[in-house]
Amino acid sequence: MESNHNGKPFIYSSRSPEDTEALAAWLAGVAEPGTVIGLDGDLGAGKTAFSQAFARYFGVQDVVNSPTFTIIKEYEGRLPFYHMDVYRVSLEEAEDLGLDEYFFGNGVSLVEWSQIIEELLPDRHLHIYIETAGLTERSITVRGYGQPYEEWVGSLNRNGVVST
């Protein structure tokens, strides 16, 4: 997938959970039908917290928690929101989940541990990697693969995280 990426990534230095939430809010504001976001990082880096903030700003009223054992949870927001956690799924098992129906549907898919199913992700998607950089600090790398994702990353590089 790396070869499909054009343009430089956006590297965000988050000093607090509120900073990370601001990035999630910005992305929730630009998400459109068919948006696919891969979300990776170490255990405890904040993937689920990011997902919860994204969902909240996307208009999801329900409590959003990690779908580790259910794999896919569906929520209603501004559009359907599909929160996936493929940590406990093999690539072969993931192939049987019908992920294309989610990825190419009318909703927004956010996939935690997406590197496990990288070859099943659409060529066009957004990828976020969260690294722990301190007790509350995180380094977040955002890469766009295809449009509109490369445009979003370009906007972040030009303007930083601003309200949409």
Side-chain angles (χ1 to χ4, degrees):
M1 295 273 172
E2 203 66 32
S3 61
N4 293 339
H5 169 69
N6 295 315
K8 73 178 196 176
F10 174 65
I11 300 179
Y12 186 58
S13 294
S14 170
R15 292 181 298 281
S16 67
E18 293 79 17
D19 283 352
T20 300
E21 188 171 303
L23 176 60
W26 188 90
L27 290 169
V30 297
E32 54 192 33
T35 293
V36 176
I37 300 172
L39 184 58
D40 291 296
D42 296 328
L43 278 171
K47 292 179 297 297
T48 298
F50 181 93
S51 300
Q52 290 168 333
F54 181 94
R56 188 169 48 257
Y57 285 96
F58 195 67
V60 173
Q61 301 295 313
D62 297 331
V63 173
V64 173
N65 49 33
S66 181
T68 301
F69 295 101
T70 54
I71 304 170
I72 302 169
K73 288 190 176 178
E74 298 182 25
Y75 300 95
E76 283 305 315
R78 177 165 66 76
L79 298 167
F81 175 62
Y82 310 118
H83 185 206
M84 304 173 188
D85 184 326
V86 295
Y87 183 72
R88 299 184 184 282
V89 176
S90 70
L91 184 61
E92 293 76 26
E93 292 168 325
E95 288 176 329
D96 295 334
L97 291 175
L99 296 176
D100 283 355
E101 291 179 37
Y102 295 98
F103 295 159
F104 297 105
N106 292 324
V108 171
S109 300
L110 193 150
V111 185
E112 293 188 36
W113 299 101
S114 69
Q115 78 262 5
I116 293 171
I117 63 160
E118 184 174 18
E119 64 189 65
L120 300 179
L121 293 174
D123 289 340
R124 295 179 337 154
H125 68 279
L126 191 73
H127 185 259
I128 299 170
Y129 190 86
I130 303 175
E131 293 178 85
T132 303
L135 190 57
T136 61
E137 297 85 13
R138 301 291 183 264
S139 177
I140 305 173
T141 303
V142 183
R143 286 187 167 87
Y145 297 89
Q147 292 302 330
Y149 310 107
E150 289 176 15
E151 184 179 305
W152 296 355
V153 172
S155 178
L156 286 167
N157 276 316
R158 286 187 304 278
N159 306 312
V161 176
V162 294
S163 298
T164 53

